[in-house]
Amino acid sequence: MFASKRLAKELQKLHDKLPPGITLVKADDLQEWIMDIRVVDNNPIYVGEVYRLKFTFSQSYPIEAPEVVFVRDETHPIPWHPHIYSNGIICLDLLDRQGWSPVHNVESVCVSLQSMLTSNTKKERPEGDDNFVRNNRLRPRDINFIFHDNQV
Amino acid sequence: MATPAPIEVPPPNDRRGSRASQTSVHTQDEISPVGGPPTSPSPLQIRASRESSRKQSATKQPPDLSLLQYVSKPDSNLMCLICHCPFSDPLQLECEHIFCGDCLHTWEAQQAQQAQQRNRELADRKCPTCRTKYTGTRAVPKIIASMLDELVVNCPHTRAGCKWVDQRSNVKDHVMLYCEYTPVACSSFDCRHHIAQKDYHKGCLHYTVSCEQCHTSMMKKDLEVCVTDHQRTACAGRSTNCPHCSCELLRLDLKAHIKDVCGKVVVPCQGAIVGCAFSAERAEVVTHEKGCPMATMAPHFRDQQARIERNEARLEPLSRKVGILEDGLSNITNMLYPANANDSSYPVTNPLDPNTSEPFPPASLVPTPDFRLPPASFPPVPPNDTSQTPFQNPSQPPFDSQVHHLLTLHDSLREEVSRIANALTECEGRTNMMVINESQRVKDEMLHTNAAINGMRMQLHWLMSATLHQRTSSSASSSTGRAAASTSASGSGSAPTQGASRSGTGGTYHAPLRRLSDSTRQDTKL
């Protein structure tokens, strides 16, 4: 109830106006949305690529954080970033339950990710990416990340 | 479309019948705890409590402020960042960020729960916006509260048809008290649906019927509430053709169309009320009426007619009033002057001149609603009082109308009657006084006589007791003379012999005089 009301309002706003580089791809229901983002400036790592994000909302959104992952298909790769695993899982305090705040919304999350990519200079995966990708069966929200990097 | 017969599935009456039987079963169930322990509540109480709880659960819900539709887009500064709605019951943190009370509490509860899951004390509460620690909340500044109160909203039941639009601070009162569309529990006892307040008195409308035209099944409630909506927009059989001009239109508007619009219907000229005999299809009549003098005059005639009818209607009660007054007056005159009883012409026989009597209060000239004076209520007038009334019949002042005249007469008569009544009262008082005086005198005489009788009785008693005493003393002296021969018999009887005789006979005659008179007096009193 709470979630659907708020999501309906956000959707209305997203239809209205979006920041540059962010597009709404699919929002058929109030549970799973697909957004596309691209990096606006000329960061050589990301230039010319569009990344696809999947938002999954729980019933208690926005009190609880949405689950946000990059998804890969033919045209949309997973961006290179030291905090983004190759299976699309993002290590960002904002998306963790400790760092989440109900004042965030889909648009602000997209903008945050955008800026995270923009400021990145290293084309690499996180430490132990292979291992994590192979072994992780947890959902992103249940992973306990350790946030160490305050650069992003 | 050939036979659009109304089909009701199932007919409401049958439904009602089955429902009634259900309720009777219910009541039987409720009667069963009669044999319970004395402390258990009576079946009546159980039923009452059930009813109240049911009705309570179905009472009106106060409106949810977060669901309101705002007429204009509210200022973004008044939006709660958590629910993205204008604040409702807002709270301010120490960092001066504001959130809805509910939103903030939900967030705090979630934080606390999370801390508990990790077996950690919730160290600090942090503002969702700026992550500043805060310890408490406070009310928002007045200006924010009044800005929120002044947001203009639609009634939450706008969809149901309410047109109300006002400031948000009034919406609760509107929904709880005034809105006709607020859902309330259905008036039927065993019906659990809700119905708009304005249809509450129509009884239970929650049964299925089908539309007469399109046979769509729908709740009676919906057909009843928005019958026009259905027939205007939804009903498949809503459109029909005019039988005269064969143009297509809504069935709903057909009657009005034939009556006022359709050009092919044969109608008479407007001047028909004045005598124009022209009658043709409406289109022709319109052209005819342009040249018809009678049609031009018709509105004026209609106005006149209406005015005449109004006046006649006003005249009717007046004439009735006059009739009643005439009746009353004739009765009064008949009573006052039995000689003139057969004469019915008032102005001639009128014995009263209003000029000679005291001036009336002006209000008495106005016809009062209680002018109806039934003749039977007049007291018979004693003949000596008629002498006081002015008998002369001098020149009458010219009266404006007969009604006025009659009213004047009526008033003077009323004055007269009241004077007579006064005289009667006075007379009665005098008679009463006389009677009282007379009876007083008689009473005094009676007292005197009584006193004399009493005196005589006293004397009689004294004499009788004296005689008795003499007799007993003589007999006693004879017996003592016999017993004690030594004592010579003496008629006067000495004190010792008296004492002996008293002890001997048991004191039957001691203190005779006093006691006897006492007892007799008591007897007379009784």
Side-chain angles (χ1 to χ4, degrees):
Chain A
M1 186 59 186
F2 204 78
S4 56
K5 249 190 300 179
R6 151 109 186 219
L7 282 172
K9 281 187 178 272
E10 278 193 43
L11 189 59
Q12 202 180 347
K13 212 178 273 173
L14 290 183
H15 279 307
D16 222 28
K17 182 172 156 281
L18 274 170
I22 298 172
T23 42
L24 176 67
V25 178
K26 179 166 148 290
D28 294 340
D29 51 22
L30 298 179
Q31 277 164 10
E32 197 180 286
W33 292 3
I34 306 285
M35 306 284 293
D36 274 0
I37 63 168
R38 67 183 165 81
V39 177
V40 188
D41 68 355
N42 296 323
N43 191 326
I45 309 173
Y46 307 113
V47 73
E49 286 186 335
V50 179
Y51 309 107
R52 181 151 286 189
L53 280 168
K54 188 176 83 175
F55 285 75
T56 313
F57 304 102
S58 72
Q59 276 302 304
S60 39
Y61 177 83
I63 299 300
E64 230 170 55
E67 195 180 289
V68 186
V69 291
F70 282 104
V71 287
R72 188 206 320 257
D73 56 22
E74 300 84 53
T75 48
H76 303 95
I78 305 285
W80 285 93
H81 191 278
H83 299 144
I84 298 173
Y85 292 91
S86 52
N87 57 1
I89 289 178
I90 307 159
C91 171
L92 179 64
D93 68 336
L94 171 64
L95 298 174
D96 184 74
R97 49 177 81 166
Q98 290 303 297
W100 172 255
S101 154
V103 302
H104 290 306
N105 54 46
V106 174
E107 185 187 317
S108 72
V109 168
C110 288
V111 172
S112 299
L113 288 170
Q114 225 180 4
S115 74
M116 178 171 117
L117 296 181
T118 305
S119 59
N120 180 37
T121 50
K122 301 178 220 166
K123 188 171 178 175
E124 58 183 32
R125 291 290 172 203
E127 225 173 287
D129 177 51
D130 288 347
N131 197 25
F132 176 80
V133 170
R134 212 176 305 128
N135 297 323
N136 179 51
R137 295 289 171 269
L138 291 169
R139 301 190 56 176
R141 45 173 281 189
D142 298 324
I143 303 167
N144 283 319
F145 289 109
I146 297 161
F147 303 106
H148 54 89
D149 187 356
N150 293 325
Q151 302 289 307
V152 290
Chain B
M1 203 76 271
T3 52
I7 305 167
E8 297 207 337
V9 230
N13 286 339
D14 290 4
R15 184 70 187 268
R16 290 280 159 81
S18 68
R19 193 171 291 160
S21 63
Q22 276 172 14
T23 27
S24 71
V25 168
H26 263 276
T27 44
Q28 274 184 353
D29 283 347
E30 281 158 8
I31 287 167
S32 57
V34 159
T39 48
S40 69
S42 74
L44 208 67
Q45 276 174 320
I46 291 172
R47 193 178 168 157
S49 67
R50 265 186 218 169
E51 177 121 2
S52 69
S53 66
R54 203 174 87 72
K55 290 293 172 200
Q56 256 175 11
S57 68
T59 45
K60 297 179 184 179
Q61 296 291 323
D64 185 350
L65 289 187
S66 62
L67 290 179
L68 289 175
Q69 286 289 323
Y70 293 83
V71 171
S72 57
K73 204 172 175 222
D75 191 316
S76 62
N77 291 314
L78 293 176
M79 294 289 205
C80 171
L81 282 173
I82 298 181
C83 62
H84 288 197
C85 296
F87 297 114
S88 52
D89 306 323
L91 290 174
Q92 188 180 1
L93 307 183
E94 279 139 18
C95 54
E96 301 199 338
H97 284 116
I98 301 175
F99 300 95
C100 296
D102 280 352
C103 295
L104 192 65
H105 292 144
T106 322
W107 168 242
E108 283 173 357
Q110 199 258 1
Q111 291 290 94
Q113 193 191 353
Q114 226 172 60
Q116 205 178 19
Q117 273 176 5
R118 300 185 176 209
N119 287 324
R120 239 185 282 162
E121 283 287 310
L122 178 57
D124 296 297
R125 293 183 292 173
K126 288 180 184 169
C127 167
T129 304
C130 62
R131 297 184 195 276
T132 314
K133 293 173 187 172
Y134 69 92
T135 50
T137 56
R138 58 171 184 267
V140 294
K142 272 264 156 45
I143 184 165
I144 304 278
S146 44
M147 280 172 82
L148 288 167
D149 278 346
E150 283 169 14
L151 293 173
V152 180
V153 297
N154 291 316
C155 175
H157 307 118
T158 305
R159 274 239 206 98
C162 185
K163 302 267 189 298
W164 183 89
V165 171
D166 203 356
Q167 295 187 353
R168 197 177 80 163
S169 52
N170 299 329
V171 74
K172 192 175 172 203
D173 275 357
H174 168 73
V175 169
M176 298 304 278
L177 298 174
Y178 306 114
C179 184
E180 287 186 327
Y181 295 88
T182 305
V184 293
C186 182
S187 55
S188 174
F189 177 73
D190 54 344
C191 178
R192 297 203 171 269
H193 294 283
H194 286 204
I195 191 156
Q197 170 138 20
K198 71 185 176 62
D199 296 316
Y200 179 79
H201 65 278
K202 290 183 183 167
C204 184
L205 298 176
H206 299 102
Y207 50 90
T208 319
V209 296
S210 74
C211 170
E212 289 184 19
Q213 268 87 42
C214 63
H215 304 291
T216 315
S217 295
M218 50 167 58
M219 284 282 231
K220 173 76 174 162
K221 173 191 77 149
D222 299 326
L223 190 63
E224 184 91 1
V225 171
C226 50
V227 63
T228 43
D229 262 10
H230 171 73
Q231 292 188 359
R232 209 171 272 287
T233 56
C235 180
R238 66 178 181 273
S239 56
T240 183
N241 291 332
C242 171
H244 302 286
C245 64
S246 67
C247 68
E248 193 172 325
L249 74 167
L250 291 181
R251 188 179 297 275
L252 203 64
D253 302 329
L254 185 62
K255 266 186 193 163
H257 169 80
I258 290 177
K259 188 165 170 281
D260 292 328
V261 184
C262 183
K264 300 278 188 198
V265 180
V266 177
V267 289
C269 168
Q270 270 196 20
I273 52 163
V274 207
C276 180
F278 186 82
S279 175
E281 288 183 355
R282 193 190 301 275
E284 281 180 53
V285 167
V286 170
T287 48
H288 160 79
E289 276 171 358
K290 280 187 187 127
C292 176
M294 287 188 257
T296 326
M297 291 303 289
H300 301 285
F301 276 111
R302 223 171 286 143
D303 278 357
Q304 295 278 350
Q305 191 69 30
R307 203 176 303 157
I308 288 171
E309 271 163 20
R310 266 207 309 278
N311 283 337
E312 273 173 359
R314 224 178 293 159
L315 198 65
E316 202 254 353
L318 282 178
S319 63
R320 214 172 41 223
K321 213 183 271 185
V322 168
I324 292 163
L325 279 174
E326 276 177 356
D327 278 359
L329 193 61
S330 73
N331 275 317
I332 293 168
T333 8
N334 288 353
M335 251 178 294
L336 284 177
Y337 314 106
N340 290 343
N342 296 329
D343 203 339
S344 59
S345 54
Y346 294 110
V348 183
T349 59
N350 171 34
L352 304 171
D353 185 2
N355 291 333
T356 54
S357 57
E358 285 151 15
F360 307 124
S364 69
L365 280 172
V366 182
T368 48
D370 61 337
F371 61 90
R372 196 189 300 264
L373 293 171
S377 72
F378 285 102
V381 185
N384 62 340
D385 274 349
T386 47
S387 61
Q388 294 170 9
T389 60
F391 237 114
Q392 296 75 29
N393 190 8
S395 63
Q396 303 243 336
F399 289 107
D400 294 348
S401 66
Q402 207 178 3
V403 175
H404 185 186
H405 169 69
L406 283 173
L407 283 174
T408 322
L409 276 185
H410 167 71
D411 275 312
S412 62
L413 279 174
R414 181 180 276 186
E415 189 96 347
E416 194 62 31
V417 168
S418 74
R419 211 167 58 206
I420 291 165
N422 279 345
L424 264 181
T425 326
E426 197 183 309
C427 196
E428 195 182 298
R430 234 181 297 155
T431 326
N432 275 349
M433 212 54 201
M434 205 176 71
V435 168
I436 286 170
N437 284 342
E438 193 67 19
S439 63
Q440 193 64 39
R441 206 172 54 79
V442 172
K443 228 182 259 173
D444 283 353
E445 270 177 23
M446 292 257 289
L447 278 177
H448 278 137
T449 323
N450 269 350
I453 289 172
N454 262 343
M456 283 172 72
R457 192 182 282 152
M458 294 259 287
Q459 270 179 331
L460 188 71
H461 274 290
W462 184 79
L463 283 173
M464 274 179 65
S465 59
T467 330
L468 275 172
H469 183 63
Q470 260 183 357
R471 216 176 279 167
T472 45
S473 61
S474 64
S475 67
S477 66
S478 66
S479 64
T480 47
R482 248 178 271 140
S486 62
T487 318
S488 61
S490 67
S492 59
S494 57
T497 51
Q498 263 195 343
S501 76
R502 206 180 287 163
S503 62
T505 53
T508 319
Y509 295 112
H510 60 90
L513 276 179
R514 223 31 232 178
R515 290 293 151 89
L516 274 174
S517 77
D518 273 356
S519 68
T520 47
R521 197 177 286 167
Q522 271 172 3
D523 283 345
T524 45
K525 264 188 192 163
L526 284 168

